[in-house]
Amino acid sequence: MPKHLLSPLQTGSVHLNNRVVMAPLTRSRAAQPGDIPRALNVEYYAQRATAGLIVTEASQISRQGQGYAWTPGIYTDEQEAGWKTVVDAVHAKAGKIALQIWHVGRISHNLLQENGVAPVAPSAIVAENAQCFVVQPDGTPANVPTAEPRALALEEIPGIVEQYRQATIRAKRAGFDLVEVHAANGYLLQQFMSTNSNLRDDIYGGSLENRARLTLEAVDAAIAEIGASRVGIRLSPGFVAHGIADSEAEPMALYLAAELNERGIAYIHIAEPDWAGGAELTQAFRQQLRAAFKGTIICCGGYTAAEADALIVSGLADAIAFGRPYIANPDLVARFAKGAELNKPDRNTFYGGEEKGYTDYPTLEEVEAASA
Ligand code: FNR
């Protein structure tokens, strides 16, 4: 039994029953029109409420911040009300839940933007080999190459920070235990951090500190609204898709870790390289991260229960997030406790659709009842 993984953990001001975190997973099933969390989403998250912490799928903080059709937002009253129904259901089962707040930057397309305008980015550079998901003018959905973005003007940046602030206000009102600032996977904040996607010559570009500025301002806006002990961040220093090729990824992550440690945020969540490619994290980097940040460190990417337990024992992580295993196993914690086999996720139903491949994966009890 992975007893360390199943032991409780205090992260910031939130008590987790165990260290099994449900990773953020975009599932593209929000109600249309309006990108509003709905009853089917409530059922899905409630089924997974035995996780120590659920991190929701990424939720766009504005129409401008959307890169995929049908993902849920957190910028309208209806979206906030929809999320509240999710939070209430998870809390009714004694679960804890963080909202991942998301601006995609250049990983978008005019078809997703208000009035068909161009997506925004630190610099007007197209993300190479990157796709987004749109509904075409004839009504058919399709993956399409991301569009050419325009560079944000300096005067527009306070408005971006304000989007993070407003999203946090809404998350707090909806009852979320934490917000997770999505600074990973090549979206807006990582576009500002990465040396090859940010060619600005103002205070948001150039030096490492300047490239980190927007991320820290977004975090500070979240802290101002919900308190540092309820803020987390997701980083992906090894990420190489979405056109990201950062020559200073590790120094950036370590700089942020030190800055975020000063601020006393609840956790840093590291998305490790996975099917998207990228070099594995080195032991030296893990140790430097641990030395720089005293709060909770969550690692994610291809872990088994045994590997997760071992990393926690080593002290290099405090909790482990599971992505694909959580798609297919609503009772992942119970399965880990029993050493039971896991259901396999079906890739064909990852994005979009209804119950199939979403709320119909059986629990162990259901499997056993069916075979009895
Ligand atoms: C993801 N991942 C992801 N990451 C993130 O930060 N926000 C998101 O919304 C999503 N969406 C998403 C959807 C789907 C279908 C998959 C498979 C993955 C990445 C995810 O959180 C995790 O880092 C990876 O899945 C690796 O962990 P596992 O699956 O190996 O445990």
Side-chain angles (χ1 to χ4, degrees), residues 22-27 55-59 100 102 180 182 184-185 187 234 269-275 300-303 321-327 347 350-351:
M22 177 176 169
L25 294 160
T26 289
R27 306 301 308 276
V55 182
T56 67
E57 64 205 281
S59 185
Q100 191 184 52
W102 188 31
E180 178 174 294
H182 193 350
N185 299 356
Y187 297 113
R234 199 169 213 229
H269 184 174
I270 301 287
E272 298 187 28
D274 47 41
W275 68 92
C300 179
Y303 282 89
F322 298 86
R324 289 160 292 178
Y326 249 119
I327 290 179
R347 296 183 67 94
F350 277 5
Y351 304 106

Side-chain angles (χ1 to χ4, degrees), residues 240-302:
V240 291
H242 285 167
I244 295 293
D246 189 355
S247 61
E248 289 186 322
E250 285 192 1
M252 174 62 82
L254 294 172
Y255 169 73
L256 287 174
E259 286 286 321
L260 296 169
N261 190 60
E262 287 279 305
R263 288 160 169 82
I265 68 165
Y267 70 78
I268 294 180
H269 184 174
I270 301 287
E272 298 187 28
D274 47 41
W275 68 92
E280 292 209 352
L281 300 187
T282 63
Q283 195 70 2
F285 173 75
R286 290 184 195 275
Q287 283 163 353
Q288 287 171 296
L289 185 73
R290 175 81 282 177
F293 188 71
K294 307 297 176 219
T296 296
I297 294 178
I298 305 173
C299 289
C300 179

Side-chain angles (χ1 to χ4, degrees), residues 12-173:
S13 48
V14 184
H15 178 84
L16 312 184
N17 286 329
N18 58 65
R19 296 160 187 245
V20 179
V21 175
M22 177 176 169
L25 294 160
T26 289
R27 306 301 308 276
S28 311
R29 284 166 168 88
Q32 299 305 316
D35 300 321
I36 302 162
R38 57 179 167 133
L40 184 67
N41 312 130
V42 173
E43 185 186 349
Y44 163 78
Y45 282 111
Q47 285 175 343
R48 289 157 178 75
T50 54
L53 176 68
I54 291 173
V55 182
T56 67
E57 64 205 281
S59 185
Q60 62 270 10
I61 58 178
S62 62
R63 175 86 184 269
Q64 183 192 61
Q66 182 169 15
Y68 306 86
W70 311 334
T71 57
I74 182 69
Y75 59 92
T76 70
D77 291 348
E78 293 76 17
Q79 292 162 351
E80 181 186 321
W83 277 122
K84 184 171 188 309
T85 62
V86 170
V87 172
D88 289 348
V90 169
H91 284 168
K93 292 184 142 185
K96 299 289 161 62
I97 183 164
L99 181 70
Q100 191 184 52
I101 56 176
W102 188 31
H103 192 305
V104 298
R106 67 182 182 173
I107 306 300
S108 186
H109 194 280
N110 304 59
L111 285 170
L112 290 159
Q113 299 285 319
E114 208 154 357
N115 303 320
V117 298
V120 298
S123 303
I125 305 169
V126 181
E128 266 178 55
N129 300 321
Q131 293 205 317
C132 57
F133 180 69
V134 302
V135 176
Q136 300 176 108
D138 69 0
T140 55
N143 285 311
V144 295
T146 55
E148 182 171 339
R150 71 175 177 83
L152 282 162
L154 183 60
E155 309 76 62
E156 288 178 283
I157 293 191
I160 301 285
V161 176
E162 189 58 22
Q163 292 177 19
Y164 286 93
R165 180 190 312 282
Q166 292 300 328
T168 305
I169 291 172
R170 288 191 182 277
K172 186 179 175 188
R173 272 203 305 250

Side-chain angles (χ1 to χ4, degrees), residues 17 23 89 133 142 176 295 339 342 365:
N17 286 329
F133 180 69
F176 280 100
L342 303 185
E365 274 180 17

